[in-house]
């Protein structure tokens, strides 16, 4: 039955090799057809000449790209201080929503109200309200900086989402783990810190990676209240050169960061799914 | 080691009574086996003794102290009463050695270095020295369950509770875990087991209790209960279980 054939394959291996070849041929043909259709059709669209001139102008691209990269450093900077603050605040809120002590009941209400409010308001609105509202109180420099209040708006919004993800992780740790830890004489706090949280945090790493990617993009919302980060810088070039190509350049810079990060998050998710099955 | 006395223990979940007036005496160094069909209340009874579940009425005396008194600090009880579960419940993010040292570190405040020799001696006693640095998912079921026993023993308990600890194991791994129980018994540990291992109960238990619907229908020395059960329900259960 399983005698290898001339090529050294069993009948099943030979069959699967034929199947793979067939799939590959179909996929390649269909890709070529679709790609040629796009390459043929798009330049024949009536407005293509204009679009090409205003979005894909090589000269404008070369002129604006280095400055855009510089401006992107500001995005990275804002991202770099927001991310850890979000992680800490998010974890604290997740824990606050699960406290049992009656004296801390207000914390639970506060935690619940917090997540409801900040998940319910569009990020850009929070950025406006906090970014313009608080410096409007007449704070002296440097305390009226949009960097501070814009970052705070991002931190408050993202911490609400991150807290919910941490909570789902905490809930996913099986009750039997808590029972085992309690049976050893550990207090509720020790059970949470030593047994539940380490497992919960590991489980939500892929989901939190996705939050980081979203945050990376939303840093650009701060451009509306002042900081000249990459989106704002691209806007400056657009006005200066009367051309949209800088926006394409900015998009490419974002993609250079987010695509690898997204792939990595997907890889972590897939790895986790394999480990649990 | 300590002794246990249960008096009229009642435990209900919503309107389902799981322990319906249980009286049980476990003398120092005695091994008591609870047998009966699934759902008879064996596991719940063990969880009540450990105060993982609060009882509704009755008393549980641990060396003459009523630990079931509402308001009694459960941490004090759990540090004296060890428990091992059917599904091992090792902490997957820690090595076997860390699993064992966690509770002594947290409860007594001693350091890893300070506890290492003691832990190693316990691992050696159960033939597990080579597994100390491994994570639970690198161990067989039998090894995991023996590590779980070591983990409970590291708190130097005076009573040990075992909740069907061989039920999740492949048949060829049951023996090594039962050997660990025999070793504990020979050291004079007070033990209460919920078990489906009738052969083991008959050979090793000082006393066997047959439970049904949250009541102890019959109890007695292992030999008597297995050879000449008096209660018709016990007879029927044993006839099925020993077939």
């Amino acid at each position: 039955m399983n005698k290898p054939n001339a090529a050294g394959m069993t009948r099943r291996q030979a069959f699967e090799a034929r199947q793979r070849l067939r799939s590959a041929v179909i996929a390649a043909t269909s890709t070529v057809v679709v790609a040629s259709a796009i390459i043929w059709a798009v330049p024949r669209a009536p407005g293509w000449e204009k679009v090409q001139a205003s979005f894909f102008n090589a000269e404008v691209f070369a002129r604006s790209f280095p400055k855009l990269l510089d401006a992107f450093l500001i995005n990275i900077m804002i991202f770099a201080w927001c991310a850890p603050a979000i992680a800490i605040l998010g974890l604290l809120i997740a824990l606050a929503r699960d406290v049992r002590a009656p004296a801390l009941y207000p914390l639970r209400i506060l935690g619940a109200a917090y997540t409801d409010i900040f998940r319910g308001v569009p990020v850009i609105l929070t950025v406006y309200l906090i970014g313009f509202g608080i410096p409007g109180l007449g704070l002296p420099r440097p305390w009226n900086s949009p960097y501070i209040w814009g970052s705070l708006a991002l931190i408050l919004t993202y911490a609400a989402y991150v807290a919910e993800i941490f909570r789902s992780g905490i809930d996913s740790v099986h009750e039997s783990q808590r029972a085992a830890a309690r049976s050893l004489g550990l207090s509720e706090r020790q059970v949470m810190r030593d047994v539940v949280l380490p497992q919960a945090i590991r489980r939500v790493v892929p989901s939190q990676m996705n939050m980081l990617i979203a945050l990376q993009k939303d840093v650009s919302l701060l451009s509306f209240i002042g900081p000249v980060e990459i989106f704002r810088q691209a806007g400056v070039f657009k006005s200066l050169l009367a051309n949209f190509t800088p926006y394409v350049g900015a998009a490419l810079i974002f993609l250079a960061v987010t695509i690898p990060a997204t792939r990595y998050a997907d890889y972590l998710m897939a790895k986790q799914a394999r480990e649990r099955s | 080691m300590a002794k246990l006395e249960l008096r009229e223990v009642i435990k209900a979940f919503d309107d389902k009574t799981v322990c319906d007036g249980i009286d049980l005496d476990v003398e120092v160094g005695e091994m008591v086996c609870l047998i009966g069909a699934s759902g008879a209340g064996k596991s719940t009874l063990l969880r009540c003794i450990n105060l993982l579940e609060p009882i509704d009425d009755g008393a549980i005396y641990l060396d003459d102290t009523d630990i079931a008194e509402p308001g009694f600090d459960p941490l004090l009880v759990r540090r004296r009463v060890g428990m091992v579960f059917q599904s091992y419940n090792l902490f997957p993010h820690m090595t076997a050695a860390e699993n064992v040292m966690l509770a002594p570190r947290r409860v007594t405040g001693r350091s890893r270095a300070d506890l290492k020799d003691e832990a190693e001696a316990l691992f050696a006693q159960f033939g597990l020295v080579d597994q100390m640095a491994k994570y639970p998912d690198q161990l067989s079921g039998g090894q995991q369950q023996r590590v779980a026993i070591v983990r409970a023993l590291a708190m130097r308990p005076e009573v040990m509770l075992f909740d069907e600890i061989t039920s999740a194991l492949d048949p060829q791994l049951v023996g090594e875990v039962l050997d660990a129980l025999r070793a504990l018994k020979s050291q004079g540990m007070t033990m209460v087991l919920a078990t489906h291992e009738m052969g083991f109960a008959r050979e090793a238990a000082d006393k066997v209790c047959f439970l049904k619907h949250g009541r102890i229908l019959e109890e007695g020395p292992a030999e008597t209960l297995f050879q000449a059960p008096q209660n018709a329900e016990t007879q029927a259960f044993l006839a099925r279980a020993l077939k």
Side-chain angles (χ1 to χ4, degrees):
Chain A
M1 281 293 266
N2 255 335
K3 246 187 291 167
N5 65 5
M9 289 190 288
T10 62
R11 272 168 57 198
R12 169 147 297 276
Q13 284 167 336
F15 172 76
E16 282 171 358
R18 280 198 305 278
Q19 291 284 310
R20 273 198 301 276
L21 182 65
R22 188 161 167 270
S23 306
V25 169
I26 294 174
T29 315
S30 121
T31 308
V32 167
V33 168
V34 171
S36 340
I38 292 171
I39 291 168
W40 181 84
V42 171
R44 279 163 181 74
W48 169 244
E49 300 275 310
K50 274 195 212 142
V51 169
Q52 193 183 22
S54 54
F55 282 87
F56 303 102
N57 183 320
E59 198 182 320
V60 172
F61 186 86
R63 205 173 139 191
S64 60
F65 197 75
K67 269 267 172 70
L68 289 177
L69 269 182
D70 282 348
F72 192 63
L73 287 179
I74 292 183
N75 292 62
I76 292 176
M77 196 172 72
I78 294 171
F79 174 84
W81 66 55
C82 285
I86 289 165
I88 293 166
L89 184 62
L91 188 56
L92 289 178
I93 291 161
L95 292 175
R97 293 198 62 179
D98 281 327
V99 289
R100 298 265 179 273
L104 299 179
Y105 193 75
L107 259 186
R108 290 184 70 159
I109 302 181
L110 224 64
Y114 178 93
T115 42
D116 281 354
I117 291 171
F118 284 100
R119 288 196 307 165
V121 177
V123 195
I124 184 65
L125 257 178
T126 312
V127 169
Y128 261 107
L129 292 177
I130 296 181
F132 284 135
I134 295 184
L137 295 172
L139 298 174
R141 297 182 76 172
W143 296 107
N144 59 0
S145 158
Y147 284 92
I148 295 178
W149 302 108
S151 300
L152 182 72
L154 285 180
I155 291 167
L156 290 175
T157 305
Y158 270 79
Y161 289 97
V162 164
E164 286 304 289
I165 295 174
F166 276 132
R167 240 160 67 91
S168 73
I170 290 170
D171 288 345
S172 79
V173 176
H174 199 264
E175 177 51 36
S176 62
Q177 286 281 312
R178 289 170 191 259
R182 286 164 67 210
S183 80
L184 290 166
L186 297 177
S187 67
E188 293 297 334
R189 246 182 109 145
Q190 290 165 334
V191 172
M192 182 54 84
R193 189 184 64 180
D194 292 317
V195 176
V196 177
L197 269 190
Q199 298 185 56
I201 290 174
R202 260 164 243 222
R203 283 187 200 177
V204 298
V205 163
S207 315
Q208 303 291 31
M209 275 291 294
N210 283 324
M211 292 310 295
L212 283 182
I213 294 163
L215 171 67
Q216 168 59 38
K217 293 181 294 174
D218 276 353
V219 165
S220 272
L221 294 175
L222 295 204
S223 65
F224 289 103
I225 59 169
V228 182
E229 49 63 74
I230 186 166
F231 178 68
R232 178 87 168 233
Q233 182 66 55
V236 170
F237 277 121
K238 181 210 69 177
S239 310
L240 202 67
L241 306 171
N243 195 291
F244 287 105
T245 306
Y247 285 129
V248 177
L252 289 177
I253 292 173
F254 272 109
L255 288 176
V257 173
T258 50
I259 289 180
T262 315
R263 288 284 145 246
Y264 184 61
D266 286 353
Y267 162 77
L268 289 179
M269 292 261 205
K271 195 172 141 209
Q272 202 166 62
R274 272 202 309 279
E275 280 167 1
R276 277 209 230 166
S277 58
Chain B
M1 302 305 146
K3 63 173 179 171
L4 267 177
E5 286 168 46
L6 277 61
R7 293 288 169 262
E8 281 294 309
V9 169
I10 294 181
K11 171 70 188 174
F13 291 110
D14 299 323
D15 52 356
K16 190 180 178 326
T17 304
V18 191
C19 297
D20 194 3
I22 290 193
D23 284 289
L24 178 67
D25 289 281
V26 187
E27 300 301 329
V28 172
E30 208 174 36
M31 180 195 271
V32 173
C33 283
L34 310 175
I35 61 170
S38 300
K42 308 185 297 287
S43 294
T44 305
L45 185 61
L46 293 180
R47 292 172 68 92
C48 288
I49 297 174
N50 201 316
L51 302 190
L52 284 177
E53 300 287 353
I55 64 172
D56 299 327
D57 207 353
I60 301 174
Y61 295 99
L62 178 64
D63 268 356
D64 303 320
T65 311
D66 182 6
I67 59 172
E69 185 70 33
F72 196 90
D73 184 358
L75 298 187
L76 297 179
V77 175
R78 295 184 196 134
R79 286 163 196 176
R80 294 175 63 192
V81 179
M83 182 152 181
V84 183
F85 301 84
Q86 176 177 344
S87 50
Y88 333 134
N89 299 356
L90 292 180
F91 308 133
H93 57 296
M94 299 179 184
T95 63
E98 286 166 350
N99 261 279
V100 167
M101 290 190 287
L102 173 67
R105 272 170 56 215
R106 290 292 179 251
V107 172
T108 65
R110 293 164 67 193
S111 70
R112 280 193 182 83
D114 196 16
L115 285 159
K116 193 171 167 289
D117 289 344
E118 242 170 84
E120 207 169 305
L122 272 176
F123 274 99
Q125 199 184 324
F126 292 92
L128 291 164
V129 171
D130 296 338
Q131 324 301 335
M132 283 180 75
K134 291 189 184 162
Y135 284 87
D137 63 4
Q138 298 170 307
L139 301 174
S140 73
Q143 289 169 332
Q144 288 190 56
Q145 195 56 294
R146 284 183 289 147
V147 171
I149 294 173
V150 169
R151 180 173 70 178
L153 290 176
M155 289 298 288
R156 302 174 171 281
E158 300 163 56
V159 176
M160 284 283 287
L161 311 173
F162 299 91
D163 187 7
E164 297 189 14
I165 63 167
T166 56
S167 298
L169 292 174
D170 291 336
Q172 70 269 25
L173 300 176
V174 169
E176 61 188 71
V177 173
L178 295 182
D179 283 341
L181 292 179
R182 289 188 188 98
L184 264 183
K185 179 175 158 59
S186 70
Q187 293 165 22
M189 178 63 77
T190 308
M191 305 158 80
V192 187
L193 285 77
T195 186
H196 290 299
E197 296 288 334
M198 294 305 150
F200 177 76
R202 184 170 187 168
E203 159 218 321
D206 296 298
K207 182 155 79 177
V208 178
C209 303
F210 171 68
L211 275 81
K212 186 166 183 182
H213 299 317
R215 291 200 186 90
I216 295 182
L217 294 188
E218 183 167 0
E219 65 174 276
E223 208 47 39
T224 321
L225 193 122
F226 279 102
Q227 288 239 302
Q230 301 300 309
N231 186 298
E233 302 262 21
T234 319
Q235 289 164 359
F237 173 76
L238 287 177
R240 274 197 309 277
L242 298 173
K243 200 158 44 185

